[in-house]
Amino acid sequence: MLQLISKKNRLTDGQKSFGYGAFAAIGVFLNFERVNVMKVAVMGFGVVGSGVAELLKKNAPVIKENTGADLEVKRILDIRDFPDSEFAPLLTKDFCDIENDDEIEVVVETMGGLNPAFDFVSRCLKKKKHVVSSNKELVAQKGFELLKLAEENNVNFLFEASVGGGIPIIRPISRCLAGNRIDSIAGILNGTTNFIMTKMIMERTEFSDALSLAQKLGYAEKDPTADVEGLDACRKICILSSLAFGRHVYPNEVHTEGISKITLDDVEDADRFGYVIKLIAQAKKLENGKIYALVSPALVKKESMLAGVSDVFNACLVRGDMTGDILLYGKGAGASATASAVVGDIIDCADNREKRKVFGWKESVPGLIEDYRKVPVSLFVRIEGSKAEKEKVLSLLNPEKIFENSEKNEISFITDTEPEEELQKKLSLGGFKVLSSIRVTDY
Ligand code: HSE
């Protein structure tokens, strides 16, 4: 079948409109329906990449009817062989087959990791191809550089799927809420840890057993460090804060704690005070203009919208000065949900084929991120000690509510709000054993 190809950025605007008009007219005259098909390449044929290829194949007519975008996968890059795949004829192991193919206008990057993704994405942008990525590590580390490269080449670099899987988060923050000053964001951005915490809260399953179950069900990786120690959630909150506050927030600047030290005793005592424990990724714009960004286990009030987010689901609470609190909720991972977000971005590229959409953030500046220890917080604390030792800690911190576990010689309480370093100083005075200290959120 004859296909008429858009050659964006190689013609002047006048030539382009004349060209498209002429193509369309010929198409109508000859009754060709696909006058403006947009060719797509996918780099990385794993869970998400294969989901994108399948979604485009299955839903291309619906997408065309709903949006006018006529999309077709032309090439798929992967170093592995997939002889039984229906997409086998499109597979290549050579990146140059995509880089040097002028028909390909949009490249989807679903490879994950920094290398070779950064090199390949940079080269595609330099070749004036739009790039859509689901790669949170790439965006969190290299987002500013790639957005700048996209701007210089008048193409789009979009990454809706990099945070929250199928949940629309990037577009709502950058467009729908653009009339707000965003004050804060708090998210349950990692499905694996949310599944583990849900098992601990609802079924009182020990952490290690809940983790094994998450691995058995295919949620957690064999090496679950990035999920369990909060690194995955850190990358995601970096992307959201960069977008919400306008400057790149790098992962190494965000204090990150995981859930591996949370015990069932913490879960039970938090419950007594009316809270659940979740892995919360948060970012706030402080009055001094700095950003407070943090990933850590945190106590969330049982009535909070975030407390009801269970299993592998993700949610992101955005607090805008005009809207108040908004909760975006849904599947944070999985082939079809994530592919849906990728395809939304491809459609956006089709809508902004000729003129890059205004989107992104500026480079970081020194002092952008506040030292988390200076920010006032309230802590949930669990202490073990003798009667005198417990009295000592209570006189130092003077909490309003205390729970005494006489069987275990422990007390737990929630402190007033003070700069975290002041609270930690008091807790380090000794004479008692601090079993846990976990932040309490106000979401
Ligand atoms: N490992 C991630 C999670 C996958 O558990 O949420 C989605 O980024």
Side-chain angles (χ1 to χ4, degrees):
M1 179 184 168
L2 177 64
Q3 280 159 344
L4 301 168
I5 307 303
S6 145
K7 296 274 185 186
K8 73 190 156 45
N9 298 325
R10 288 174 216 116
L11 302 169
T12 65
D13 284 350
Q15 285 169 324
K16 276 176 201 160
S17 32
F18 174 77
Y20 287 133
F23 282 158
I26 295 165
V28 169
F29 178 69
L30 297 175
N31 202 17
F32 290 144
E33 278 188 18
R34 304 191 70 185
V35 290
N36 226 357
V37 65
M38 197 172 197
K39 301 273 174 125
V40 177
V42 177
M43 302 194 295
F45 198 54
V47 173
V48 180
S50 57
V52 171
E54 271 153 33
L55 194 160
L56 284 180
K57 188 160 189 198
K58 186 170 161 228
N59 284 352
V62 178
I63 294 168
K64 191 174 178 192
E65 195 170 320
N66 288 346
T67 69
D70 191 358
L71 308 172
E72 184 183 303
V73 177
K74 184 175 182 193
R75 277 284 190 194
I76 298 171
L77 177 74
D78 204 293
I79 49 170
R80 297 164 293 180
D81 289 311
F82 297 88
D84 301 329
S85 165
E86 59 177 318
F87 298 102
L90 307 184
L91 274 146
T92 175
K93 291 184 180 167
D94 185 358
F95 167 67
C96 295
D97 286 343
I98 292 172
E99 185 184 29
N100 296 328
D101 186 335
D102 286 346
E103 274 192 359
I104 293 169
E105 287 186 68
V106 185
V107 179
V108 172
E109 185 274 305
T110 48
M111 307 168 78
L114 278 186
N115 295 309
F118 178 61
D119 178 44
F120 288 0
V121 168
S122 304
R123 284 161 64 180
C124 288
L125 293 170
K126 284 181 192 158
K127 283 277 187 170
K128 303 195 185 303
K129 298 178 190 300
H130 304 287
V131 175
V132 171
S133 176
S134 64
N135 184 342
K136 56 227 157 174
E137 192 177 353
L138 179 73
V139 182
Q141 293 283 3
K142 300 284 187 184
F144 170 70
E145 260 179 82
L146 293 171
L147 284 160
K148 195 161 160 264
L149 205 50
E151 187 179 356
E152 286 163 5
N153 288 283
N154 194 33
V155 285
N156 296 291
F157 174 56
L158 304 177
F159 37 83
E160 181 64 66
S162 64
V163 184
I167 312 169
I169 293 184
I170 303 284
R171 201 166 286 101
I173 291 180
S174 64
R175 277 288 177 272
C176 317
L177 299 174
N180 283 252
R181 187 194 67 224
I182 292 176
D183 294 325
S184 67
I185 298 173
I188 294 174
L189 301 179
N190 182 270
T192 305
T193 45
N194 201 41
F195 175 83
I196 293 171
M197 288 315 307
T198 304
K199 286 280 163 203
M200 292 178 77
I201 294 162
M202 311 289 272
E203 296 169 27
R204 297 293 192 253
T205 310
E206 291 285 355
F207 171 81
S208 52
D209 295 336
L211 173 58
S212 304
L213 185 59
Q215 282 172 316
K216 204 168 137 197
L217 292 171
Y219 300 146
E221 305 289 332
K222 217 168 173 195
D223 174 6
T225 318
D227 291 318
V228 165
E229 298 306 341
L231 312 178
D232 176 76
C234 172
R235 290 171 187 144
K236 292 166 178 169
I237 197 68
C238 285
I239 298 171
L240 296 184
S241 7
S242 303
L243 199 60
F245 306 129
R247 288 203 181 266
H248 197 121
V249 174
Y250 288 95
N252 64 353
E253 296 178 301
V254 176
H255 179 72
T256 300
E257 294 168 24
I259 60 164
S260 56
K261 295 193 184 76
I262 302 294
T263 65
L264 284 182
D265 288 332
D266 296 325
V267 169
E268 271 161 24
D269 283 8
D271 182 29
R272 289 189 175 96
F273 289 111
Y275 292 89
V276 291
I277 302 176
K278 296 278 188 187
L279 182 71
I280 300 292
Q282 53 176 312
K284 271 183 202 168
K285 190 79 187 251
L286 301 173
E287 277 174 19
N288 64 7
K290 294 188 177 196
I291 297 167
Y292 174 62
L294 188 78
V295 177
S296 74
L299 268 69
V300 175
K301 277 206 184 79
K302 283 182 192 170
E303 310 82 65
S304 157
M305 289 195 278
L306 288 175
V309 179
S310 301
D311 294 316
V312 279
F313 282 90
N314 281 199
C316 186
L317 193 149
V318 184
R319 193 166 278 175
D321 65 339
M322 294 293 122
T323 54
D325 287 356
I326 287 175
L327 189 77
L328 303 151
Y329 168 90
K331 281 187 189 160
S336 23
T338 312
S340 151
V342 169
V343 170
D345 277 349
I346 301 173
I347 294 166
D348 223 356
C349 291
D351 285 346
N352 296 277
R353 201 169 186 174
E354 300 306 317
K355 191 168 177 292
R356 179 187 157 268
K357 114 184 206 183
V358 178
F359 171 75
W361 53 74
K362 296 187 185 136
E363 178 57 304
S364 181
V365 284
L368 179 69
I369 308 297
E370 181 61 287
D371 179 347
Y372 74 96
R373 288 164 292 211
K374 304 218 173 304
V375 176
V377 290
S378 160
L379 294 178
F380 159 86
V381 183
R382 218 155 51 78
I383 299 282
E384 185 187 62
S386 66
K387 189 163 179 280
E389 287 164 350
K390 287 187 275 187
E391 273 167 12
K392 181 179 173 190
V393 75
L394 292 179
S395 71
L396 280 168
L397 287 151
N398 199 21
E400 208 173 283
K401 283 189 199 158
I402 304 154
F403 169 72
E404 178 132 31
N405 187 337
S406 44
E407 274 172 29
K408 288 192 168 174
N409 229 6
E410 287 174 20
I411 48 168
S412 54
F413 54 85
I414 292 177
T415 71
D416 282 343
T417 302
E418 279 187 59
E420 185 163 337
E421 61 187 0
E422 300 295 327
L423 290 171
Q424 292 297 356
K425 213 183 281 172
K426 290 176 190 174
L427 288 173
S428 67
L429 285 179
F432 42 79
K433 188 172 173 197
V434 181
L435 298 170
S436 318
S437 73
I438 308 171
R439 296 170 189 87
V440 180
T441 68
D442 57 356
Y443 295 105

